[in-house]
């Protein structure tokens, strides 16, 4: 365990033991208790008493109390850590609610790993000074706490870039710089899509870095949109070929962004894929925004349940242009 403690007092010894073995149950016996306990243990070890009989009741109670104290201490400490972690993670999650200026959001976010609120997928919504709506959706490669932490870095960097007035392409260059400086492994990258919906809600500008396409809801129908895509952020630093595309976005329309965890799950017919997701979305096209999102995720989860469920992070963000809120 290491060298014996320099101090000679009982407190010194107990402190030293706890430093060497912080999870151990510590039982301190003095005077008659100690002599009696050691004699009982020696008798048991040397076979002078029946092994089926317990040590004296008082000694057993002392051991039981020490063990309980250690277990309760670890439980309380673990609960405090879990509570603090939950508060921290909750504070790092964005508020995706947007119900102003003719826009409405609906969303679903679920990390693939249990006992956590954050995953490597990230998304955010920001209102511009001119009334425009800025949206980002991203997916950091890999899993675990490192991917989740990097996702938080990228989301906050994107939000800062938007508020500072950077263009969508400039935002991606900034995210790539942040990612390459903060990632723990050189092969880590992220797929990202950035959208800007004009203040009059007539056009949607998109820049994509290796991210999947999205769904466009228009007059009760759903279609798949695949904008021109450049390289994922950080895959080949400095070689990003990102460019902006534009499409019409009339009042009453909606767009649905998501990460690939939504359609990569296994189903009875194999991988669901983009076509399978589009078919499911088409059947739900009559539903309002949040109900549509919940039903889409629920339908995919139901199909994947017999095969292990959805094991990856899943992020879905629905942005609607409210009718009559455009001009």
């Amino acid at each position: 365990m290491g060298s014996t403690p320099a101090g000679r007092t009982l407190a010194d010894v107990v402190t030293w033991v706890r430093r060497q073995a912080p999870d151990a149950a510590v039982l301190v016996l003095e005077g008659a208790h100690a002599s009696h306990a050691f004699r009982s243990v020696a008798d048991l070890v040397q076979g002078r008493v029946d092994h089926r009989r317990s040590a004296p009741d008082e000694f057993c109670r002392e051991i039981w109390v020490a063990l309980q104290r250690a277990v309760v201490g670890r439980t309380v400490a673990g609960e405090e850590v879990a509570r603090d972690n939950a508060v921290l993670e909750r504070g790092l999650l964005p508020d995706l609610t947007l119900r102003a200026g003719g826009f409405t959001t609906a969303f679903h976010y679920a990390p693939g790993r249990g006992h956590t609120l954050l995953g490597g997928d990230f998304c955010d919504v920001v209102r511009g000074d001119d009334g425009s709506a800025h949206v980002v959706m991203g997916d950091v490669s890999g899993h675990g706490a490192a991917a989740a932490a990097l996702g938080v870095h990228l989301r906050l960097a994107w939000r800062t870039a938007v508020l500072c007035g950077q263009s969508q392409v400039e935002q991606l260059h900034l995210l790539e710089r942040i990612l390459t400086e903060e990632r723990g492994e050189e092969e880590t990258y992220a797929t990202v899509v950035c959208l800007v919906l004009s203040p009059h809600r007539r056009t949607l500008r998109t820049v994509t870095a290796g991210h999947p396409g999205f769904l466009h809801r228009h007059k009760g129908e759903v279609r798949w949109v695949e904008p021109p895509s450049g390289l994922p952020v950080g895959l080949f630093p400095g070689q990003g070929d990102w460019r902006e595309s534009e499409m019409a976005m009339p009042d009453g329309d909606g767009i649905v962004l998501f990460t690939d965890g939504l359609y990569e799950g296994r189903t009875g017919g194999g991988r669901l894929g983009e076509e399978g997701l589009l078919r499911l979305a088409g059947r739900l096209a009559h539903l309002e925004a949040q109900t549509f999102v919940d039903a889409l995720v629920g339908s995919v989860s139901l199909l994947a349940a017999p095969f292990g469920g959805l094991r990856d992070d899943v992020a879905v963000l629905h942005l609607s242009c409210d009718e009559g809120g455009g001009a």
Side-chain angles (χ1 to χ4, degrees):
M1 262 195 175
S3 60
T4 56
R8 298 289 183 177
T9 67
L10 180 61
D12 290 332
V13 175
V14 172
T15 299
W16 179 80
V17 170
R18 284 182 167 165
R19 285 176 180 169
Q20 301 299 318
D23 292 333
V26 178
L27 173 62
V28 179
L29 299 172
E30 298 181 88
H33 287 293
S35 301
H36 188 58
F38 289 134
R39 283 198 303 271
S40 299
V41 173
D43 288 343
L44 285 171
V45 171
Q46 296 175 20
R48 291 196 293 265
V49 297
D50 188 345
H51 291 275
R52 292 171 296 179
R53 296 177 58 192
S54 64
D57 290 343
E58 187 174 354
F59 181 39
C60 290
R61 282 197 298 272
E62 294 284 356
I63 294 177
W64 177 252
V65 169
L67 289 172
Q68 287 295 99
R69 188 183 299 118
V71 170
V72 170
R74 287 197 296 271
T75 301
V76 171
E79 290 175 350
E80 289 179 351
V81 170
R83 189 161 51 247
D84 289 346
N85 287 342
V87 170
L88 176 61
E89 290 189 56
R90 197 172 294 115
L92 294 174
L93 288 170
D95 181 3
L96 300 176
T97 304
L98 186 62
R99 298 184 182 278
F103 299 116
T104 302
T105 55
F107 50 89
H108 171 91
Y109 185 88
R113 58 196 181 107
H115 310 293
T116 186
L117 302 176
L118 279 172
D121 290 0
F122 62 94
C123 52
D124 206 349
V125 180
V126 174
R127 284 296 304 277
D129 292 336
D130 62 352
S132 58
H134 298 252
V135 183
V136 69
M137 176 78 72
D139 183 357
V140 177
S141 63
H143 301 88
L150 188 52
V152 172
H153 280 299
L154 297 179
R155 183 184 70 79
L156 294 177
W158 173 84
R159 173 175 278 264
T160 302
V162 170
L163 296 176
C164 289
Q166 290 193 352
S167 70
Q168 291 174 289
V169 173
E170 288 173 332
Q171 293 163 19
L172 289 180
H173 282 294
L174 176 63
L175 295 191
E176 182 165 79
R177 181 175 179 180
I178 297 292
L179 184 144
T180 54
E181 291 183 358
E182 296 292 337
R183 64 188 176 186
E185 299 178 351
E186 191 172 348
E187 61 270 20
T188 300
Y189 64 89
T191 65
V192 183
V193 57
C194 302
L195 305 180
V196 178
L197 195 53
S198 68
H200 300 298
R201 294 168 294 286
R202 291 290 183 262
T203 59
L204 180 72
R205 303 196 312 275
T206 307
V207 177
T208 305
H211 202 78
F214 56 86
L215 301 176
H216 178 208
R217 302 184 66 190
H218 175 69
K219 294 185 177 180
E221 296 183 352
V222 181
R223 69 185 183 99
W224 186 279
V225 178
E226 193 74 48
S229 181
L231 293 170
V233 169
L235 187 61
F236 297 106
Q239 299 182 37
D241 52 347
W242 309 303
R243 61 189 185 277
E244 186 179 288
S245 62
E246 187 174 295
M247 60 176 275
M249 191 71 175
D251 286 350
D253 281 15
I255 54 108
V256 186
L257 300 176
F258 43 82
T259 52
D260 60 8
L262 183 62
Y263 61 82
E264 289 289 352
R266 184 184 169 197
T267 68
R271 173 178 169 273
L272 178 63
E274 298 170 355
E275 292 184 0
L277 181 64
L278 181 59
R279 285 195 298 270
L280 283 178
R283 298 170 193 161
L284 306 171
H286 61 286
L287 300 175
E288 62 89 22
Q290 189 62 61
T291 307
F292 174 87
V293 170
D294 294 340
L296 185 62
V297 175
S299 298
V300 174
S301 300
L302 189 62
L303 290 173
F307 306 94
L310 299 178
R311 301 179 182 180
D312 199 0
D313 302 335
V314 175
V316 183
L317 178 62
H318 188 302
L319 178 65
S320 304
C321 297
D322 300 337
E323 294 191 38

